[in-house]
Amino acid sequence: FAGIEASSRERIATMAELKRQALTEALERYRSLGNLFLDAALVDPRVSEAFAARDRERLLELTMPFYAATREAYGIAQYQFHRPDARSFLRLHKPAKFDDDLSAFRATVVEANRSRRQVEGLEVGVADLGFRVVRPVAGPDGAHAGTVEFGGALDGAFIKALEAGLPEAAREGGFRLSVVSTNLAGDYFIAGSNFESEPGEDPAAALAALDGGDSRLEVRGNEAEAFYPLRDFSGRDIGYAKFL
């Protein structure tokens, strides 16, 4: 928000809200896209049959063409099938790696398998922050076969695409965004940014200053920063989005 007079705080708040709305809508697109993608992937009954039969080669044959045709266009970072015990069965984005136990750090997968209900929302991964849609899959006999996941990362490419699609009103004051999150060890990292490689503030203090609220605006002279909390699928605060 460079170049905006401090006396225009209300205007700055309006501009910040427009940027936040753009981010929220991008996350909703991940949600909608995930549901559409999984609908399309599972419409062929042979997919659930191969998964229930634990026929990895057949499942790969059935699902890879669709994944290969859509991953770049839609920013698909994760397309994966998991066993009921939360072990990876097939990663379309990394087919050679499977049978590893995800239960210690993929709570969405554990919950979807436990509840037999779809789980969706933000989740910290091994090396990223992503939006996940995890859906239970039933075999031909109706028995629970495991889960399938669609995921997109909140990384630099996500921010670049978000900026490219901004409405004109949201461009006022510039568009600089950092997505700051905790990792699996509880340390903070920048998941994505279009202007910095390290947080320019103390992340723990910045998140604490939000104090469970939905926003915080700081105006200093003719510059301003807006902070918005990021909450995972369970409602837990895991980081924040910072607009400058």
Side-chain angles (χ1 to χ4, degrees):
F1 306 103
I4 305 298
E5 292 296 328
S7 60
S8 304
R9 185 183 180 91
E10 183 175 340
R11 181 175 165 219
I12 294 172
T14 299
M15 291 162 50
E17 179 61 18
L18 288 172
K19 299 176 198 304
R20 184 201 64 80
Q21 287 177 4
L23 174 60
T24 299
E25 289 168 4
L27 295 179
E28 282 300 315
R29 282 195 292 273
Y30 264 152
R31 186 192 309 275
S32 298
L33 183 61
N35 279 284
L36 289 171
F37 189 94
L38 294 181
D39 285 347
L42 296 174
V43 71
D44 185 346
R46 297 175 299 171
V47 171
S48 56
E49 289 170 7
F51 183 35
R54 299 298 184 252
D55 188 338
R56 185 176 292 104
E57 290 186 7
R58 178 60 170 156
L59 185 59
L60 181 63
E61 176 188 0
L62 290 167
T63 55
M64 180 55 82
F66 180 68
Y67 172 64
T70 56
R71 61 184 171 186
E72 294 299 329
Y74 298 106
I76 301 167
Q78 299 276 341
Y79 179 22
Q80 182 171 187
F81 290 81
H82 328 94
R83 298 176 184 268
D85 62 358
R87 287 187 174 275
S88 176
F89 181 71
L90 173 64
R91 289 177 170 90
L92 273 296
H93 53 286
K94 196 179 294 185
K97 184 178 181 180
F98 54 86
D99 278 345
D100 48 316
D101 186 359
L102 310 178
S103 61
F105 54 89
R106 290 301 313 280
T108 53
V109 175
V110 172
E111 177 58 22
N113 275 293
R114 184 199 67 78
S115 67
R116 313 286 172 87
R117 300 180 68 175
Q118 181 163 302
V119 176
E120 55 190 29
L122 292 175
E123 184 179 43
V124 175
V126 172
D128 69 347
L129 172 65
F131 192 97
R132 323 289 191 195
V133 179
V134 186
R135 180 179 296 182
V137 180
D141 61 355
H144 180 62
T147 52
V148 60
E149 166 194 4
F150 165 94
L154 274 68
D155 56 9
F158 168 83
I159 293 174
K160 184 177 180 180
L162 173 61
E163 184 174 9
L166 283 176
E168 192 61 35
R171 296 179 181 276
E172 186 178 358
F175 186 82
R176 291 189 291 171
L177 168 62
S178 282
V179 175
V180 181
S181 173
T182 53
N183 60 21
L184 293 173
D187 300 320
Y188 287 91
F189 74 106
I190 287 189
S193 178
N194 61 356
F195 73 96
E196 61 182 356
S197 58
E198 296 292 335
E201 65 283 325
D202 178 347
L207 187 57
L210 283 162
D211 194 26
D214 291 325
S215 66
R216 180 167 62 88
L217 181 64
E218 292 186 1
V219 179
R220 295 186 298 275
N222 65 345
E223 294 191 352
E225 296 178 334
F227 296 83
Y228 298 94
L230 295 174
R231 297 183 173 113
D232 72 5
F233 70 98
S234 70
R236 180 174 63 95
D237 285 351
I238 55 171
Y240 55 90
K242 176 181 66 177
F243 293 98
L244 268 68

